[in-house]
Amino acid sequence: MSTDIAPEMLGAKIVEWYRCIVARDMEQVVALKNEVERFVETTEIHDEKVLSFYSLVMFRYQLLMEDFQKRKVAFPDLEIIRDKGFYNNKLLKFLYYFVHGQAEFYQGRYKSAIRLYHIAEGLVNHIQDESEKAEFFYRLGKSYYRIDQYTFAVAYIEQAIDLFEQQQFCKEKILNCKLLLAAINTELCLFDKAEFVYQSVLYEAKDFPITHALILRSLGMNRTRQHKLEEARQYFMQALDTGNHRESVAGMKTIWDLANILFRLQRDYKYALSLLQEAKAKAEALNNGEYIVRCSITETLFVKDGVDETLLQLMKTLEEHELYFEYDEMIEEIVMYYQERGDLHKAISFTILKKLQTLKRSYFKSLPE
């Protein structure tokens, strides 16, 4: 039976929940989530502001737990908030653009995410909690990393580190920031510099199994970029054996990494095939378009022995979704596949395709908006 409850009471409870999320007080986060959900499910709520705030904080909770990709999240309608006169609520407006940007990020729409983040950035000074500001700058830096804008990425990540270092209980977030800086060094082929950071944070992350596994995966990716495939294989296997990494979204990516490495090493074919099938099934269950394409490319190359028309269509899919970072990575995979098999004609063809796409992107980027 539903009952009425004062919006102020529920709003205050949601604010308390949000503060615990920002502070990462996980025991209180879970307890208050259950309490707030119970309120929402068993009471009549007519206040649009409170309902909007609840939806945003629920998504922020899922962002903290990194499990929102497994759920269908309904965003509150910003027009309703404006029409009801709540658009001047700076926290509500910031939170909307922050979590909406993150939703775009996890759909692979990085430029859209950055546009939303920049609207939120204009409101960030209205956010009192420095941890939340740091989280925001970290997420913005991560988005720039995914579109190869490393100068902007580093600037925002370093800003996040400065803010996190002023807070208690943010060691794991600092490690994640440093991990991203090391990944940028890997992309720039500054492998020794990246290695120094990876090894230092690996030691510091021993008490954080989720981050520990991510660092092991990153070390594997660092070795892959250097064509040290056997070392990469070992790091990916260690990552999958750490904590519950295998069951996570990042773990799905590591499963693909390991499958791809085993195919390239031409060893353990049956195991590699089972890993590829596992990664593809998980990507499809999560509706993760990027990794569905990655798995399909690996399958086309190593299981179906390369079909140019299929590969071109898959690359077109990445381009249409503006997954340029992923486009460049996968075209490098295709080029290496043909190089390793001595098919220089096809290797050159795909290299030319990559260069043409790079020129095309540079041209459109130079046009005034």
Side-chain angles (χ1 to χ4, degrees), residues 62-189:
Q62 292 173 331
L63 178 61
L64 173 68
M65 305 301 289
E66 298 289 354
D67 70 346
F68 49 87
Q69 291 191 72
K70 304 172 187 177
R71 311 183 184 200
K72 296 294 183 183
V73 179
F75 281 97
D77 190 337
L78 197 61
E79 294 299 324
I80 291 177
I81 298 173
R82 182 184 293 110
D83 292 344
K84 296 293 183 180
F86 300 131
Y87 197 64
N88 289 328
N89 185 301
K90 302 300 184 182
L91 173 60
L92 194 61
K93 189 176 177 183
F94 167 81
L95 197 55
Y96 176 85
Y97 285 113
F98 181 23
V99 300
H100 201 171
Q102 197 57 25
E104 290 294 285
F105 178 92
Y106 276 95
Q107 292 297 316
R109 296 189 283 266
Y110 305 121
K111 289 185 177 180
S112 176
I114 289 170
R115 285 193 290 269
L116 290 161
Y117 282 152
H118 277 307
I119 298 173
E121 188 176 13
L123 300 158
V124 77
N125 289 331
H126 295 281
I127 306 306
Q128 296 180 355
D129 194 291
E130 297 297 295
S131 297
E132 186 74 334
K133 289 182 184 178
E135 179 75 16
F136 170 73
F137 289 130
Y138 165 70
R139 300 283 176 174
L140 180 50
K142 192 173 183 180
S143 295
Y144 272 115
Y145 163 68
R146 296 310 297 262
I147 62 168
D148 300 341
Q149 295 291 320
Y150 299 134
T151 301
F152 289 113
V154 169
Y156 281 112
I157 295 163
E158 289 181 342
Q159 195 170 353
I161 291 173
D162 289 341
L163 290 170
F164 278 131
E165 286 180 338
Q166 297 171 28
Q167 311 301 311
Q168 290 184 318
F169 313 117
C170 288
K171 181 177 179 180
E172 189 169 15
K173 296 304 300 185
I174 293 170
L175 293 177
N176 277 277
C177 289
K178 291 180 177 178
L179 176 59
L180 193 49
L181 291 176
I184 290 172
N185 286 326
T186 293
E187 295 299 328
L188 295 173
C189 297

Side-chain angles (χ1 to χ4, degrees), residues 40-305:
V40 172
E41 291 170 1
T42 60
T43 60
E44 294 288 344
I45 305 171
H46 306 289
D47 191 302
E48 295 285 354
K49 178 181 177 181
V50 172
L51 288 172
S52 298
F53 192 34
Y54 168 72
S55 298
L56 290 168
V57 175
M58 175 58 78
F59 193 91
R60 184 67 181 84
Y61 162 80
Q62 292 173 331
L63 178 61
L64 173 68
M65 305 301 289
E66 298 289 354
D67 70 346
F68 49 87
Q69 291 191 72
K70 304 172 187 177
R71 311 183 184 200
K72 296 294 183 183
V73 179
F75 281 97
D77 190 337
L78 197 61
E79 294 299 324
I80 291 177
I81 298 173
R82 182 184 293 110
D83 292 344
K84 296 293 183 180
F86 300 131
Y87 197 64
N88 289 328
N89 185 301
K90 302 300 184 182
L91 173 60
L92 194 61
K93 189 176 177 183
F94 167 81
L95 197 55
Y96 176 85
Y97 285 113
F98 181 23
V99 300
H100 201 171
Q102 197 57 25
E104 290 294 285
F105 178 92
Y106 276 95
Q107 292 297 316
R109 296 189 283 266
Y110 305 121
K111 289 185 177 180
S112 176
I114 289 170
R115 285 193 290 269
L116 290 161
Y117 282 152
H118 277 307
I119 298 173
E121 188 176 13
L123 300 158
V124 77
N125 289 331
H126 295 281
I127 306 306
Q128 296 180 355
D129 194 291
E130 297 297 295
S131 297
E132 186 74 334
K133 289 182 184 178
E135 179 75 16
F136 170 73
F137 289 130
Y138 165 70
R139 300 283 176 174
L140 180 50
K142 192 173 183 180
S143 295
Y144 272 115
Y145 163 68
R146 296 310 297 262
I147 62 168
D148 300 341
Q149 295 291 320
Y150 299 134
T151 301
F152 289 113
V154 169
Y156 281 112
I157 295 163
E158 289 181 342
Q159 195 170 353
I161 291 173
D162 289 341
L163 290 170
F164 278 131
E165 286 180 338
Q166 297 171 28
Q167 311 301 311
Q168 290 184 318
F169 313 117
C170 288
K171 181 177 179 180
E172 189 169 15
K173 296 304 300 185
I174 293 170
L175 293 177
N176 277 277
C177 289
K178 291 180 177 178
L179 176 59
L180 193 49
L181 291 176
I184 290 172
N185 286 326
T186 293
E187 295 299 328
L188 295 173
C189 297
L190 301 173
F191 299 118
D192 290 341
K193 190 174 181 179
E195 183 72 15
F196 177 81
V197 178
Y198 283 134
Q199 293 300 337
S200 65
V201 296
L202 183 65
Y203 175 78
E204 295 181 63
K206 60 183 184 300
D207 296 326
F208 305 104
I210 293 174
T211 298
H212 192 207
L214 291 176
I215 295 168
L216 289 167
R217 177 174 184 256
S218 295
L219 279 162
M221 295 168 71
N222 178 278
R223 293 303 190 277
T224 302
R225 294 279 295 181
Q226 299 177 70
H227 307 292
K228 298 178 179 179
L229 303 187
E230 178 55 33
E231 292 181 32
R233 180 189 72 85
Q234 294 176 28
Y235 278 122
F236 291 141
M237 291 184 69
Q238 288 179 56
L240 290 173
D241 288 338
T242 301
N244 65 347
H245 180 70
R246 192 183 193 105
E247 283 67 51
S248 68
V249 175
M252 174 269 293
K253 300 175 182 180
T254 309
I255 292 168
W256 173 81
D257 289 324
L258 180 56
N260 206 51
I261 287 295
L262 289 174
F263 280 125
R264 288 180 60 187
L265 286 169
Q266 299 183 45
R267 57 177 290 180
D268 302 329
Y269 180 84
K270 288 184 178 180
Y271 181 47
L273 184 59
S274 69
L275 287 169
L276 180 61
Q277 291 168 342
E278 181 183 354
K280 190 171 185 179
K282 289 184 174 182
E284 289 172 346
L286 292 167
N287 195 29
N288 188 307
E290 173 194 340
Y291 272 81
I292 291 172
V293 171
R294 284 181 182 265
C295 289
S296 297
I297 289 174
T298 299
E299 183 179 48
T300 302
L301 290 174
F302 296 101
V303 181
K304 300 179 180 178
D305 200 24

